[in-house]
Amino acid sequence: MLLPGFDKASMARAIAIACVMVALAGAFAAGAAANEIKGAHGRAGLTCTNCHGDDGAPSRPAMSVCLGCHVSYDAIAAKTAHLSPNPHKSHQGELRCTYCHSAHDTPKLYCNECHDFKHLNLK
């Protein structure tokens, strides 16, 4: 049954446009969920621009951005000094924070690329 004022071609276009709009809305919602800020950064109320800036497409934040809040690599190592091994006192030096940490995904222990430290829990 056609709606008044619509021929078959107009109705087909309207249905196609509606389908595209529904698909785009679903993709947008899925993308927003994937980009949700999790963990301590989310609880602190940070937004995308706090770490990524507002100059367009986001990329991994530079360490200087992380250290803007977390003070210094030595300060972070002091907070995790009770861990053995201390992931912030690496034989590889000061690694990029994003090697292990992400405000969007589950953190991973970069040390385990070579080692097998199953007992270390990341936040």
Side-chain angles (χ1 to χ4, degrees):
M1 173 178 193
L2 296 177
L3 294 174
F6 282 91
D7 61 15
K8 284 185 178 183
S10 296
M11 184 64 94
R13 273 193 305 276
I15 290 171
I17 289 170
C19 289
V20 168
M21 290 176 69
V22 167
L24 288 173
F28 179 77
N35 290 322
E36 174 188 2
I37 299 173
K38 300 176 183 177
H41 295 102
R43 289 189 300 277
L46 296 181
T47 65
C48 300
T49 57
N50 289 117
C51 299
H52 298 287
D54 56 3
D55 60 351
S59 60
R60 288 184 174 184
M63 257 182 70
S64 60
V65 173
C66 300
L67 297 179
C69 294
H70 294 281
V71 184
S72 71
Y73 211 89
D74 286 336
I76 297 166
K79 286 185 177 184
T80 56
H82 63 283
L83 299 174
S84 180
N86 185 343
H88 298 108
K89 203 74 165 166
S90 171
H91 61 88
Q92 292 191 0
E94 295 182 1
L95 299 173
R96 264 184 86 140
C97 302
T98 55
Y99 281 6
C100 298
H101 302 281
S102 171
H104 305 290
D105 295 315
T106 304
K108 67 176 191 146
L109 188 59
Y110 180 75
C111 298
N112 281 345
E113 294 293 316
C114 300
H115 302 281
D116 190 19
F117 298 126
K118 292 179 182 164
H119 63 283
L120 288 177
N121 269 335
L122 293 180
K123 294 181 181 179

